[in-house]
Amino acid sequence: MMRLWIALRTNLVLTLLCGILYPVLMVLVGRALFPFQADGSLIIRDGRVIGSSLIGQNFSGPQYFHPRPSAAGAKGYDATASGGSNLGPTNKALVDAVRARLAAVLAENPGISPSQVPIDLVTASGSGLDPDISPAAAAIQVPRVAKARGMEPPEVQALVRKFTTPRWLGIFGEPRVNVLALNLALDDLQGKANHPASK
Amino acid sequence: MLTNTFVQLVLFTALFTAISVPLGLYMARVFEGKPTILDPLLKPVEGAIYRMCGVYPVTEQTWVEYSISMLLFSAVGMVLLYGLERLQQFLPLNPEHLGAVAPDLAFNTAASFTTNTNWQAYAGETTMSYLTQMAGLAYHNFVSAAVGIAVAIALIRGLVRQSAQTIGNFWFDIVRATLWVLLPISIVLSLILIWQGVPQNFKPYVHAKTVEGAEQVIAQGPVASQEAIKELGTNGGGFFNANSSHPYENPTPLTNLLEMLAIISIGAGLTHTFGQMVGNRRQGWVLFITMTLLFLIGAAAAVWIEQRGNPELAALGINTQANASQSGGNMEGKEVRFGIVGSALFATVTTATSCGAVNSMHDSFTPLGGLIPLLNMQIGEIIFGGVGSGLYGMLVMAILSVFIAGLMVGRTPEYLGKKIEGREMKLVMLFILIFPAVILLPAGVAVVTRPGLAGITNPGPHGFTQVLYAFTSAAANNGSAFAGLNANTPFYNVVLAFVMLAGRFMMKIPLLALAGSLAGKKTVPPSAGTFPTDGALFVVLLTGVILIVAGLTFFPADALGPLIEHVAMLHHQLY
């Protein structure tokens, strides 16, 4: 009985230390030092949250760069239902899904051949909330976006380059383009910020 | 690409090697009770904790007393966690008003986090309140890791002590592991994670109106504090369903690197703690080098296989070749910011250790790419392994190796001057046999019964791999998954909970008995017939024994899953 009593007390004391004090301290210090990040890196326009710079969101209009396919939630990019497709490599459903996505990408971006379509643009990410696409995936969308916005492709291309993050220290991770940041910059450039697409 | 892969692997290995040595020597001082730099800050806290808990840390315990303390501590912790999950709707810090966790799921989760497994049959963002996450799950991330370290230290003491009845004090070991090792590193790591973008707040979920006008609800929470200890304690239970692939848990290549280092460092460091405590650093290096060798083989293979990608998708004409503007390879279930190398390396790290955090979906790996994590777990997670459990698992293999070497020359084997006799070998064999028994028997049952088959979501041999992976992960206390498996059913929740408990405690008790048995022995000086365990020859022998034991045990099962699937894939067979 004595041992059981010690086991209970030790659990409670360590819960207080590691389960309450530690996270609360981290909230206080974290929000003091890095308030933007601690609150989820939210992007606010006109006093309204339009998303998080870390969390991908869906884009389907031709004037926007499109993100990767998402398996999060029924419609994708549900930030309360993160997750991947978990389809296995020999599952027919996977190959069919990729085939359909490839067809969609080719239809949306005339003049592109399958061999120009990078694998990341037709496969679902692990989180379903991947905020990035590869530079190759951005490049094949440039003509479409430029046309839809009445911009010159080099102009759009320059913006893509500006929003391309290289490998960390040139070594770790992969080069990537944050889709939301790029699309917001496009809207800003044309003075259309804050207006949900009405087309 | 090849160059970059090579540079990443070499740098990562250099970094964890460089961290592991000072960390290991520091941990030796902590558990020997020697002065450390953090003493002025932590000694008063330590004293206060002992007083509040009614613990006398100088009291030495026999292996039986040590085991009873460990079991009682874990059992009470498990009951408290179960209670917290069931009552969370009445408790504070639940801004989303999440209801009580269902009984079978709550039981599974309580077993999972108490055993350092962190198998998750739930999605964090829609199941667990902030209070349950921090005071229940993150709390167990600390103490289950501390228990693992404690048992490893107890085994080391058994090897060091001579003609002794006792192997240390359990309460002293877990309090020291928590205060001196886990908490300080977690605090520093949390802050870096927050800086990089991991949220740390108690706010309700954010309702955003996206650029195209859709509603997006974005889950929040005290993520960073949990993320840090989740990796450091080789726990692996994600705050969110997508675990470390979620941009809020792992936002940048830097956090990916730091999380991998956090997962591996304590396990790697403990080899040096061991060398230091037994008075021969080379003994620690031998284990470290064996582990690193096996690790690099797995990591290189996983990267190579995943980079080759899925031929079915390449056949559609898509560009799967890596170049400067895309990572290529098998990107299903992977994140662009990590690419193939950052994902395959993470998968190797998380299964070589007993972490089980994932930054990509193993279920969508190519057949052989998914086999690497499976193999890492099947060899017993002794490549650095879980904090503590990796070291003691490796020591068991070392003892088996000297036994086999002894058989070959017909001498009584000895390890570090301790004669290995009948009793020790029985305990070692118990330890080695319980593991496959609690994997293969229930997995066999699952694939011939209706509730077991109901959970499978991928057809063909991949479906079998989903089940095999689940039981391997549970028994090895890893917690990663072929996550397509629909495991939140009464059958899987209950069976896997018992497998996790067996994989943890049925293996720790023979281990502590072994520690007690070794502590009671005299140390004999090495003779001409002693097999040297601090040289290259022993690395070769140990590696061979590890691979042979795992191969003999699991090859038939693996052949039915990933190997068949690989052959099918090569023949363009879909299911």
Side-chain angles (χ1 to χ4, degrees):
Chain A
M1 264 331 272
M2 188 58 201
R3 285 205 187 92
L4 192 61
W5 180 224
I6 291 177
L8 179 62
R9 279 159 74 179
T10 311
N11 264 296
L12 293 176
V13 169
L14 290 179
T15 299
L16 183 68
L17 179 70
C18 304
I20 306 283
L21 290 179
Y22 158 67
V24 169
L25 178 75
M26 289 301 103
V27 167
L28 295 175
V29 178
R31 294 188 63 189
L33 293 178
F34 311 108
F36 173 73
Q37 293 96 316
D39 280 352
S41 308
L42 302 176
I43 302 177
I44 296 168
R45 294 285 167 102
D46 277 354
R48 213 169 56 187
V49 179
I50 57 161
S52 162
S53 65
L54 293 175
I55 304 290
Q57 56 179 246
N58 210 8
F59 285 97
S60 52
Q63 76 279 30
Y64 289 119
F65 282 88
H66 296 176
R68 299 180 63 190
S70 162
K75 289 192 235 160
Y77 288 97
D78 180 344
T80 60
S82 61
S85 74
N86 286 310
L87 294 174
T90 54
N91 193 333
K92 197 167 175 301
L94 171 70
V95 181
D96 288 345
V98 172
R99 187 182 288 117
R101 291 167 190 157
L102 176 65
V105 168
L106 295 177
E108 285 165 3
N109 301 283
I112 297 294
S113 73
S115 66
Q116 287 173 280
V117 178
I119 183 82
D120 63 281
L121 196 58
V122 289
T123 48
S125 63
S127 64
L129 303 172
D130 196 337
D132 304 313
I133 53 177
S134 65
I140 62 165
Q141 301 188 52
V142 165
R144 182 198 76 226
V145 172
K147 187 167 171 230
R149 289 177 176 269
M151 291 168 72
E152 289 301 312
E155 213 181 338
V156 178
Q157 186 64 54
L159 208 56
V160 170
R161 255 200 305 280
K162 194 177 153 200
F163 280 87
T164 301
T165 310
R167 287 191 170 126
W168 186 63
L169 303 179
I171 298 168
F172 294 101
E174 294 293 332
R176 58 201 191 274
V177 182
N178 185 305
V179 178
L180 176 57
L182 175 62
N183 284 333
L184 282 175
L186 278 167
D187 276 355
D188 286 349
L189 198 66
Q190 298 195 315
K192 288 202 295 190
N194 321 327
H195 297 296
S198 47
K199 297 178 190 178
Chain B
M1 275 319 285
L2 201 61
T3 324
N4 176 264
T5 304
F6 183 74
V7 171
Q8 286 204 47
L9 277 181
V10 168
L11 266 181
F12 181 68
T13 307
L15 281 170
F16 75 70
T17 306
I19 293 169
S20 71
V21 178
L23 180 62
L25 301 183
Y26 167 79
M27 287 191 285
R29 297 187 72 82
V30 168
F31 294 104
E32 286 173 331
K34 291 182 180 162
T36 68
I37 188 167
L38 292 176
D39 285 9
L41 201 63
L42 295 177
K43 276 273 185 188
V45 183
E46 185 191 21
I49 291 177
Y50 292 145
R51 276 193 302 282
M52 285 191 278
C53 303
V55 167
Y56 299 96
V58 288
T59 318
E60 284 281 330
Q61 294 177 315
T62 64
W63 78 265
V64 176
E65 291 165 342
Y66 201 100
S67 303
I68 292 173
S69 299
M70 175 195 73
L71 288 175
L72 281 176
F73 176 75
S74 302
V76 170
M78 185 172 156
V79 171
L80 288 175
L81 175 53
Y82 180 82
L84 188 56
E85 291 177 71
R86 298 286 294 143
L87 298 173
Q88 67 175 6
Q89 74 275 32
F90 304 119
L91 297 169
L93 287 176
N94 186 2
E96 298 305 312
H97 309 290
L98 297 167
V101 181
D104 59 323
L105 180 59
F107 170 63
N108 178 279
T109 307
S112 169
F113 279 72
T114 308
T115 56
N116 196 259
T117 311
N118 293 22
W119 172 265
Q120 297 175 290
Y122 62 90
E125 55 265 57
T126 48
T127 314
M128 300 295 177
S129 77
Y130 294 165
L131 187 73
T132 308
Q133 295 265 25
M134 55 193 248
L137 307 179
Y139 162 66
H140 275 278
N141 285 353
F142 276 98
V143 292
S144 66
V147 169
I149 297 175
V151 172
I153 297 294
L155 179 61
I156 298 175
R157 291 200 190 103
L159 285 162
V160 174
R161 293 183 177 179
Q162 298 200 46
S163 314
Q165 299 295 314
T166 60
I167 53 171
N169 181 292
F170 173 75
W171 309 106
F172 172 87
D173 288 343
I174 59 164
V175 169
R176 287 230 141 200
T178 306
L179 281 184
W180 265 262
V181 183
L182 300 173
L183 253 182
I185 304 177
S186 294
I187 290 174
V188 174
L189 186 57
S190 299
L191 290 177
I192 301 177
L193 290 176
I194 298 172
W195 165 55
Q196 285 290 300
V198 180
Q200 180 74 7
N201 61 54
F202 294 132
K203 296 198 165 171
Y205 295 177
V206 171
H207 290 252
K209 186 136 185 163
T210 68
V211 174
E212 286 198 338
E215 164 108 350
Q216 188 183 40
V217 182
I218 307 177
Q220 300 289 317
V223 186
S225 56
Q226 188 157 336
E227 189 69 21
I229 186 60
K230 158 194 149 189
E231 315 294 7
L232 187 67
T234 60
N235 296 283
F239 196 94
F240 302 114
N241 185 47
N243 210 301
S244 283
S245 72
H246 196 296
Y248 268 170
E249 289 200 26
N250 193 359
T252 63
L254 173 60
T255 58
N256 198 48
L257 176 67
L258 291 175
E259 288 180 13
M260 289 192 293
L261 286 172
I263 292 170
I264 214 166
S265 288
I266 292 182
L270 279 169
T271 61
H272 304 303
T273 310
F274 161 74
Q276 177 72 12
M277 286 176 75
V278 300
N280 180 356
R281 296 271 305 278
R282 285 173 62 99
Q283 298 284 357
W285 275 109
V286 161
L287 302 187
F288 179 89
I289 289 167
T290 308
M291 291 172 170
T292 306
L293 217 62
L294 289 166
F295 167 75
L296 286 174
I297 295 170
V303 173
W304 181 64
I305 295 162
E306 286 304 291
Q307 191 68 66
R308 281 166 55 104
N310 185 342
E312 284 306 319
L313 303 187
L316 300 175
I318 302 162
N319 189 346
T320 60
Q321 293 299 313
N323 59 42
S325 62
Q326 70 138 331
S327 61
N330 175 24
M331 282 300 285
E332 181 70 28
K334 295 190 180 65
E335 302 283 298
V336 166
R337 63 194 178 284
F338 309 135
I340 299 297
V341 184
S343 301
L345 186 58
F346 197 107
T348 313
V349 168
T350 198
T351 50
T353 66
S354 83
C355 186
V358 295
N359 79 348
S360 56
M361 295 303 137
H362 296 183
D363 213 346
S364 296
F365 274 34
T366 59
L368 296 185
L371 178 61
I372 303 287
L374 190 58
L375 276 177
N376 274 336
M377 295 189 290
Q378 288 171 342
I379 67 172
E381 286 173 349
I382 49 178
I383 311 173
F384 308 110
V387 290
S389 59
L391 179 71
Y392 62 66
M394 190 54 130
L395 288 172
V396 165
M397 296 311 287
I399 291 171
L400 180 64
S401 300
V402 293
F403 174 75
I404 290 171
L407 283 184
M408 289 193 238
V409 293
R411 281 186 53 102
T412 307
E414 54 198 70
Y415 185 57
L416 303 175
K418 300 279 188 174
K419 283 211 181 316
I420 307 300
E421 294 167 295
R423 178 178 159 80
E424 288 77 42
M425 282 320 295
K426 282 179 196 154
L427 292 168
V428 163
M429 287 322 294
L430 203 55
F431 183 94
I432 290 174
L433 289 175
I434 286 171
F435 180 63
V438 297
I439 294 172
L440 296 174
L441 296 177
V445 170
V447 293
V448 293
T449 53
R450 210 179 292 275
L453 290 168
I456 293 175
T457 54
N458 275 304
H462 197 88
F464 174 71
T465 314
Q466 285 185 309
V467 173
L468 179 65
Y469 196 101
F471 285 98
T472 307
S473 173
N477 294 153
N478 184 277
S480 69
F482 269 27
L485 184 74
N486 179 15
N488 187 13
T489 61
F491 172 81
Y492 278 109
N493 277 335
V494 173
V495 176
L496 286 170
F498 282 111
V499 170
M500 290 187 277
L501 291 168
R504 177 81 164 178
F505 297 110
M506 279 174 72
M507 292 174 74
K508 270 197 165 48
I509 290 170
L511 207 282
L512 285 169
L514 179 67
S517 171
L518 289 169
K521 287 173 183 275
K522 286 200 181 62
T523 303
V524 294
S527 67
T530 304
F531 187 85
T533 55
D534 58 355
L537 185 59
F538 190 65
V539 172
V540 175
L541 180 71
L542 183 56
T543 309
V545 167
I546 290 167
L547 294 178
I548 289 168
V549 168
L552 289 176
T553 314
F554 291 106
F555 180 79
D558 291 345
L560 291 174
L563 294 178
I564 283 192
E565 192 189 10
H566 177 70
V567 174
M569 187 177 79
L570 292 182
H571 288 81
H572 298 284
Q573 163 83 45
L574 293 179
Y575 295 92

